[in-house]
């Protein structure tokens, strides 16, 4: 299904620096069939990637191959800034043997295929097995109540009682969208979502309730009452790899990062109590003529089974394509099992594919950040409810502005 490609140079824009070796691996594998094709990979941090896309796509200066999550791609699809997939690519994406309906739809807009699904973000719990053993914990946490109980047992403190190793690294600061997404993941375990879609395809926030309060209160109790973690403490993957935290929730790419930066780290992974976020990422094409043809050829090569298995094995991101045999990789890297071998009852949710999703996440994160820093909220359910109501109202206001608010 590969098109003819003459001497060309194409660029690949990625928002994940760790994926640069993958794209270079794909390009290397294409040399036999496309000896005159030059592929330039430009992978930078995600927020910077999103900024250059906003400028590059509107000015016509974007790369030919663009890696982007569906939720962010929607605004560009709405404005016709990505190419419609050629017939052969569309047939490949629509074949249920290659992708299930979720990933097919994630690369489509109004029923038309525009992209090639590539990989997804999906979360699980990482925990330090030696710290668990030292704390007398023999099993990973199974409920959200366990998470707090375990965090108390795992926190290491100095002589004054101040935490020196956090029991549970929660996302309390940093990039705005990440704060809101991580809160959503935790709230989902309680049975609630940041926004939900109705039967008419509209959206609404409705989390100012018992479940929402439980999720926000858990953050506040851990930060201010139990002091198992602080806003100032090292956090996330880097803290876990340096054994500055005992457990945290993150995507599968951390496995590859640990292998590279902390290969002797004693750790394991496990599924979350109810389910996980799934954030699908696809390759989208811009440009015209021979460059666009070469870009589609590259996107198709990236989706070859051998390359996708290389992606999982060497980078850690989960391929979206169906029917791949992970057995050899799982035998060597059992930590990946929590991401591909989960209970039948496991549930998934995804960011909505709507234009204002980033504004919703950013504004939610701003309210959460302010709440996390307010110790008075920790023991005041009415005040927590007020924060949730204000956040919910702001989200629904944004949805109403866009004509997306459900009744």
């Amino acid at each position: 299904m590969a098109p003819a490609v003459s001497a060309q140079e194409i660029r690949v824009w990625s928002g994940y620096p760790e994926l640069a070796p993958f794209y270079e691996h794909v390009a290397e594998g294409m040399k036999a069939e496309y000896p005159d094709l030059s592929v330039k990979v430009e992978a930078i941090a995600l927020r910077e990637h999103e900024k250059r896309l906003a400028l590059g796509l509107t000015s016509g200066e974007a790369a030919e191959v663009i890696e982007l999550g569906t939720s962010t791609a929607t605004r560009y699809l709405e404005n016709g800034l990505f190419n419609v997939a050629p017939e052969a690519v569309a047939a490949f994406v629509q074949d249920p043997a290659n992708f299930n309906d979720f990933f097919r739809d994630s690369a489509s807009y109004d029923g038309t295929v525009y992209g090639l699904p590539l990989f997804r973000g999906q979360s699980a719990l990482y925990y330090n097995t030696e710290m668990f053993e030292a704390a007398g914990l023999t099993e990973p946490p199974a409920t959200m109540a366990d998470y707090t109980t375990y965090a108390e047992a795992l926190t290491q403190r100095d002589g004054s009682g101040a935490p020196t190793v956090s029991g549970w690294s929660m996302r309390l600061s940093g990039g705005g969208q990440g704060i809101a997404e991580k809160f959503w993941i935790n709230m989902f375990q309680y049975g609630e979502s940041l926004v939900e879609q109705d039967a008419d395809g509209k959206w609404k926030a409705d989390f100012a309730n018992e479940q929402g309060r439980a999720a926000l209160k858990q953050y506040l109790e851990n930060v201010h009452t139990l002091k198992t973690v602080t806003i100032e403490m090292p956090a996330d993957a880097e803290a876990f790899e340096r054994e500055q935290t005992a457990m945290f929730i993150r995507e599968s790419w951390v496995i590859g990062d640990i292998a590279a930066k902390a290969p002797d780290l004693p750790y394991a992974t496990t599924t979350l109590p109810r389910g996980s976020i799934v954030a699908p990422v696809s390759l989208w094409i811009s440009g015209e003529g021979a460059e666009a043809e070469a870009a589609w050829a590259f996107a198709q090569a990236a989706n070859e089974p051998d390359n996708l298995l290389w992606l999982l094995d060497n980078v850690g991101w989960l391929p979206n394509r169906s029917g791949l045999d992970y057995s050899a990789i799982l035998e060597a890297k059992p930590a990946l099992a929590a991401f591909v071998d989960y209970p039948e009852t496991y549930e998934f949710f995804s960011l909505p594919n709507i234009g204002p999703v980033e504004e919703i996440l950013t504004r939610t994160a701003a309210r959460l950040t302010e709440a996390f820093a307010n110790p008075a909220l920790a023991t005041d359910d009415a005040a927590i409810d007020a924060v949730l109501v204000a956040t919910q109202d702001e989200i629904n206001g944004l949805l109403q502005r866009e004509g997306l608010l459900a009744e």
Side-chain angles (χ1 to χ4, degrees):
M1 65 181 175
V5 177
S6 58
Q8 296 292 339
E9 177 179 295
I10 60 171
R11 292 168 295 160
V12 180
W13 279 3
S14 166
Y16 301 89
E18 69 272 18
L19 277 164
F22 167 70
Y23 293 122
E24 290 163 355
H25 175 79
V26 173
E28 183 67 24
M30 295 179 69
K31 283 188 175 179
E33 191 171 0
Y34 304 104
D36 297 323
L37 176 63
S38 173
V39 180
K40 185 177 182 182
V41 179
E42 299 173 353
I44 60 176
L46 184 57
R47 302 307 168 216
E48 296 304 312
H49 173 56
E50 291 170 352
K51 290 178 184 175
R52 74 177 169 182
L53 276 180
L55 180 61
L57 280 170
T58 53
S59 64
E61 299 296 327
E64 289 74 25
V65 180
I66 296 169
E67 166 213 280
L68 195 61
T70 304
S71 58
T72 305
T74 301
R75 72 173 72 164
Y76 303 117
L77 291 166
E78 290 173 342
N79 289 284
L81 295 175
F82 289 137
N83 295 9
V84 173
E87 185 175 344
V89 174
F92 175 76
V93 173
Q94 291 170 331
D95 186 342
N98 295 324
F99 300 102
N100 63 33
D101 292 351
F102 176 82
F103 292 120
R104 178 204 63 201
D105 293 345
S106 74
S108 304
Y109 181 71
D110 273 351
T112 299
V113 175
Y114 282 80
L116 258 167
L118 185 60
F119 68 90
R120 66 184 185 274
Q122 183 179 313
S123 295
L125 178 73
Y126 291 77
Y127 60 97
N128 185 303
T129 51
E130 283 189 358
M131 292 183 186
F132 267 52
E133 184 177 355
L137 302 171
T138 58
E139 299 288 342
T143 68
M144 291 311 287
D146 285 347
Y147 274 63
T148 293
T149 303
Y150 278 44
E152 285 188 85
L154 291 163
T155 301
Q156 299 175 30
R157 303 179 188 278
D158 63 17
S160 67
T164 56
V165 173
S166 63
W168 177 17
S169 178
M170 311 176 84
R171 182 65 70 87
L172 303 171
S173 60
Q177 287 191 213
I179 292 172
E181 284 184 20
K182 271 46 178 189
F183 176 75
W184 190 343
I185 292 170
N186 283 13
M187 189 163 64
F188 185 75
Q189 311 312 314
Y190 287 98
E192 194 53 84
S193 289
L194 202 65
V195 292
E196 292 185 290
Q197 191 173 27
D198 71 1
D200 296 325
K202 299 294 183 68
W203 297 84
K204 191 171 187 178
D206 187 21
F207 51 76
N209 51 35
E210 181 180 350
Q211 292 76 24
R213 184 193 309 138
L216 181 51
K217 190 168 184 174
Q218 186 168 40
Y219 276 79
L220 296 165
E221 284 184 332
N222 274 276
V223 173
H224 298 295
T225 305
L226 303 174
K227 301 185 188 305
T228 65
V229 62
T230 69
I231 295 172
E232 296 78 18
M233 294 182 81
D236 215 73
E238 185 175 346
F240 188 70
E241 291 163 357
R242 293 181 177 181
E243 300 196 71
Q244 295 168 325
T245 189
M247 59 181 188
F248 80 127
I249 296 171
R250 207 66 162 96
E251 301 94 340
S252 58
W253 65 266
V254 176
I255 294 172
D257 204 56
I258 291 172
K261 298 177 181 176
D264 297 326
L265 184 72
Y267 81 101
T269 61
T270 190
T271 51
L272 304 179
R274 179 189 175 197
S276 172
I277 188 172
V278 172
V281 176
S282 298
L283 295 182
W284 314 88
I285 307 302
S286 73
E288 300 176 349
E291 285 82 6
E293 288 185 7
W296 282 115
F298 180 87
Q300 290 171 276
N303 244 290
E304 291 296 329
D306 286 350
N307 284 331
L308 293 174
L309 292 174
W310 192 97
L311 169 67
L312 180 65
D313 194 23
N314 292 277
V315 185
W317 284 105
L318 302 174
N320 292 338
R321 187 168 175 179
S322 303
L324 300 177
D325 181 2
Y326 298 134
S327 56
I329 297 174
L330 290 179
E331 184 174 351
K333 299 176 179 177
L336 282 167
F339 298 92
V340 299
D341 185 14
Y342 36 77
E344 290 185 3
T345 57
Y346 212 49
E347 299 177 52
F348 294 98
F349 72 95
S350 188
L351 299 180
N353 301 329
I354 54 177
V357 63
E358 291 179 3
E359 186 175 4
I360 288 172
L361 293 172
T362 301
R363 292 201 185 192
T364 299
R367 289 187 178 275
L368 288 172
T369 302
E370 185 177 349
F372 295 158
N374 184 357
L377 291 178
T379 55
D380 189 341
D381 284 2
I384 292 175
D385 290 348
V387 170
L388 293 171
V389 168
T391 307
Q392 175 181 283
D393 288 349
E394 182 168 18
I395 292 174
N396 287 333
L398 294 171
L399 291 169
Q400 186 171 40
R401 184 194 69 192
E402 301 292 329
L404 295 168
L405 181 63
E407 294 297 329

